[in-house]
Amino acid sequence: MKRDTEISKEVALLWNTANDILRDIFQRTEYPDIIYPMVLIRSIEGVLIQKTDELREKLKKQLDKVNSKTQLQILNSKLLQEIKFNNTSKYTLKKLTDEGETGIKTNFISYLNGYTDNIKVIIDRSGIRAHINKLSEEKILFSLLKDFSNIDLSPANVSNIKMGYIFEELVRKFSEANNAEAGEHYTPREVIDLMVHLLDMDEKAIKDGQLVTIYDPACGSGGMLTSAKEFIEEKINPNAKVVLYGQEVNDKTWAVAQADLLLKGETAYITKGDTLYEDGAIGEQFDFMLSNPPYGKNWKKIQKKVLAESNGRFDVGQPRSSDGQLLFTLHMVSKMKPAELGGSAIAIVHNGSPLFSGDAGSGESEIRKYILENDWLETIVAMPTELFYNTGIATYIWLIRNNKPKKRKGKIQLINAVEFWKPMKRSLGNKRCFIDDDHIKEIIKLHKQFDKADNKYSKLFELEDFAFRKIYLDLQETDENGKIVY
């Protein structure tokens, strides 16, 4: 899948805006709290302006017959029908700044309040309102809005994929500047493509109008969800009814996901909250699930809440409190449809810890045992290092399925894809390599031809090969008469 990834111009403009306008007034750690929301607002406005222009052209004859007030009413009604939102204020960012600096704060608030409720909740969660007073008092609100009004983030100029890369590069640059933890990262789009292909969705016959549900419990900006839907529509059946479900704990990232899905017109339900103790999908089951949960996330502080609100999800066992990755795995396993109802497939990214951490009898070991004994683990793919933006650690894609085909029953495939990579022309943080379309095709070929591919890149094992038992020997010393010596 060809990616539109030339983002240097847009990122440079946004980065310069942050440094030129916010410097010495806001802390560097506060820059994202202003820049991210403004990117969202400008993107939303870009969709609105482009669609309004299209409707003006399409309805030109009808609009020419009525006054300006009626024209606005017609346009707003049509916008609600087609893109599910509008703005009833008289402003755009350009019109705000064209009127000059006087009254800019009041007018900007009026502009934000002019959006429909579904956009206002996104704007509110983005956090921009908390900074309006200071931006105004420091006499930089006008300059900020002026700069953003000159940055073209409309769909005609910036595709959804390109917008995703812009956000990712901004996250990387801000994280790097603020010495943020390496664990916070986005999933590269080529990794998402690979995960979507590995789910084998194309092997299922999806009929016109058939409901297909896709879920990501740590959805970030929603890239995995939309990529999975695009795959179904492009490769299987464009008339399938695909519904997306997700959950995200971070306010600002949730706002990005919600805005992106809304602007694309997707049927999606994205819950705000911590998946581990605020399950936003209680009682739900999904056809396909994919996720890249946080690595090494310490869950000690929320342990009591997690276990109190587990609803049986984590009864099998709990990993050590310093790393909650396997909790996300158990959570997704709990959302699988029964095999007799079609079953479910899961693709989840982990680092090396869930593979080996925990001795026999530990929580991690019991979780692995549970998955293996149910014969749900299908494949583990070892990925190249330095593939993610903010971490260079080794990563693995686990494929878990409770509807394995007969020939895969009782078997686990290991794919070694650590050599499948190309160097980046320019590193993006710790991301120094990428996997191209040919690499993805080769990995998918190894996966699909698992029973024929036995080479240095693919090996097939029996379930018993991964089982072990630890036996403790309690030895007692005896004398020459066989009596115990204490």
Side-chain angles (χ1 to χ4, degrees):
M1 189 177 293
K2 189 176 180 180
R3 294 298 189 192
D4 179 11
T5 58
E6 183 47 57
I7 58 173
S8 56
K9 177 183 175 183
E10 290 81 8
V11 170
L13 288 171
L14 295 166
W15 185 251
N16 291 338
T17 294
N19 282 318
D20 294 346
I21 295 175
L22 305 181
R23 179 181 288 176
D24 300 327
I25 296 173
F26 288 88
Q27 298 292 325
R28 276 189 172 272
T29 53
E30 295 178 299
Y31 288 7
D33 297 340
I34 296 163
I35 298 300
Y36 294 162
M38 287 305 304
V39 172
L40 271 181
I41 290 167
R42 184 61 173 138
S43 301
I44 291 167
E45 181 182 87
V47 171
L48 184 61
I49 291 173
Q50 181 172 307
K51 194 63 183 180
T52 301
D53 289 343
E54 290 173 3
L55 287 173
R56 283 188 187 279
E57 182 65 28
K58 182 180 178 181
L59 304 172
K60 188 175 186 306
K61 291 183 179 180
Q62 180 183 349
L63 295 176
D64 285 345
K65 298 175 182 178
V66 297
N67 58 39
S68 57
K69 184 178 179 180
T70 305
Q71 287 179 7
L72 284 175
Q73 291 174 343
I74 293 171
L75 286 171
N76 280 326
S77 176
K78 286 290 186 181
L79 287 167
L80 282 176
Q81 289 177 20
E82 298 202 15
I83 59 174
K84 311 303 182 189
F85 73 94
N86 62 24
N87 189 320
T88 55
S89 78
K90 64 178 182 178
Y91 297 111
T92 62
L93 294 184
K94 187 175 188 312
K95 288 178 181 177
L96 281 169
T97 53
D98 283 348
E99 289 194 5
E101 195 163 355
T102 304
I104 191 74
K105 174 186 169 182
T106 301
N107 294 340
F108 182 51
I109 292 172
S110 175
Y111 163 77
L112 296 180
N113 291 340
Y115 279 106
T116 44
D117 288 345
N118 54 349
I119 297 295
K120 278 195 285 192
V121 69
I122 293 170
I123 291 171
D124 291 346
R125 286 278 175 83
S126 76
I128 188 62
R129 290 186 188 270
H131 299 284
I132 293 176
N133 283 339
K134 185 173 181 179
L135 288 165
S136 177
E137 290 166 2
E138 296 291 344
K139 309 291 186 186
I140 59 173
L141 179 59
F142 176 83
S143 300
L144 180 72
L145 300 183
K146 183 74 172 176
D147 270 20
F148 268 91
S149 70
N150 291 324
I151 299 174
D152 186 0
L153 299 178
S154 67
N157 185 57
V158 179
S159 66
N160 290 319
I161 293 298
K162 190 172 179 180
M163 182 58 71
Y165 273 104
I166 289 172
F167 266 109
E168 288 165 11
E169 177 66 354
L170 286 173
V171 168
R172 184 195 69 77
K173 289 176 77 71
F174 283 128
S175 297
E176 197 174 73
N178 297 328
N179 296 315
E181 288 188 13
E184 298 296 326
H185 56 270
Y186 280 73
T187 309
R189 288 305 188 267
E190 72 267 24
V191 176
I192 295 176
D193 282 349
L194 175 59
M195 292 171 71
V196 169
H197 279 81
L198 286 170
L199 286 171
D200 286 339
M201 293 188 288
D202 55 326
E203 293 187 1
K204 294 188 71 172
I206 300 176
K207 301 175 182 177
D208 287 359
Q210 182 177 335
L211 176 64
V212 180
T213 53
I214 304 171
Y215 176 59
D216 182 350
C219 68
S221 59
M224 287 191 180
L225 294 172
T226 52
S227 293
K229 183 183 181 188
E230 287 169 5
F231 182 86
I232 290 173
E233 292 178 341
E234 292 175 8
K235 305 290 185 182
I236 306 173
N237 189 342
N239 299 315
K241 183 182 178 181
V242 182
V243 180
L244 308 177
Y245 294 81
Q247 186 156 348
E248 173 56 33
V249 67
N250 182 279
D251 269 350
K252 295 176 180 61
T253 313
W254 175 89
V256 173
Q258 192 75 352
D260 184 50
L261 293 168
L262 179 66
L263 296 181
K264 291 175 181 175
E266 304 286 9
T267 303
Y269 304 93
I270 309 299
T271 306
K272 169 69 180 65
D274 190 318
T275 303
L276 298 184
Y277 64 86
E278 299 175 288
D279 184 1
I282 293 177
E284 298 286 354
Q285 296 174 328
F286 306 99
D287 296 300
F288 300 101
M289 292 173 263
L290 60 173
S291 192
N292 181 14
Y295 310 149
K297 179 181 179 180
N298 190 309
W299 61 290
K300 187 174 183 178
K301 291 182 179 179
I302 61 172
Q303 192 166 6
K304 288 184 178 179
K305 286 194 288 185
V306 169
L307 298 181
E309 301 296 332
S310 73
N311 297 315
R313 292 176 293 163
F314 313 129
D315 289 353
V316 172
Q318 297 91 46
R320 64 194 65 192
S321 60
S322 60
D323 188 355
Q325 286 179 75
L326 282 170
L327 291 177
F328 284 93
T329 305
L330 285 178
H331 170 77
M332 295 171 79
V333 165
S334 76
K335 305 297 181 187
M336 292 196 298
K337 289 183 173 181
E340 58 270 21
L341 296 180
S344 303
I346 297 170
I348 184 169
V349 181
H350 286 310
N351 64 12
S353 177
L355 288 172
F356 59 79
S357 61
D359 208 346
S362 67
E364 292 93 343
S365 180
E366 290 302 301
I367 293 168
R368 289 191 292 264
K369 177 183 175 184
Y370 174 63
I371 294 171
L372 287 169
E373 288 188 342
N374 279 286
D375 194 13
W376 292 336
L377 182 61
E378 178 176 293
T379 306
I380 296 178
V381 183
M383 303 299 291
T385 57
E386 300 183 331
L387 196 59
F388 291 83
Y389 300 100
N390 280 13
T391 179
I393 61 176
T395 54
Y396 304 83
I397 298 174
W398 290 33
L399 289 176
I400 298 171
R401 196 188 303 272
N402 66 348
N403 55 3
K404 279 186 179 183
K406 187 177 180 180
K407 60 183 180 179
R408 280 194 182 268
K409 296 282 187 183
K411 301 183 185 299
I412 297 172
Q413 182 185 18
L414 300 185
I415 295 177
N416 178 11
V418 297
E419 298 177 10
F420 293 21
W421 60 274
K422 285 186 177 179
M424 301 277 289
K425 291 183 179 178
R426 182 177 66 86
S427 296
L428 295 175
N430 284 327
K431 182 174 174 59
R432 297 181 176 88
C433 70
F434 71 101
I435 51 177
D436 65 11
D437 287 348
D438 289 337
H439 293 138
I440 292 175
K441 289 176 183 176
E442 183 61 29
I443 295 169
I444 298 305
K445 181 179 178 182
L446 290 169
H447 178 244
K448 288 186 179 295
Q449 298 180 354
F450 72 98
D451 50 347
K452 300 175 184 176
D454 184 13
N455 51 50
K456 68 176 182 176
Y457 299 120
S458 175
K459 296 290 181 184
L460 206 58
F461 296 88
E462 302 292 329
L463 289 182
E464 291 76 15
D465 294 331
F466 295 91
F468 72 94
R469 187 183 304 276
K470 191 166 187 175
I471 299 173
Y472 292 91
L473 298 179
D474 189 4
L475 302 178
Q476 295 176 320
E477 187 178 354
T478 61
D479 61 19
E480 64 273 14
N481 297 317
K483 294 182 179 180
I484 297 172
V485 175
Y486 291 98

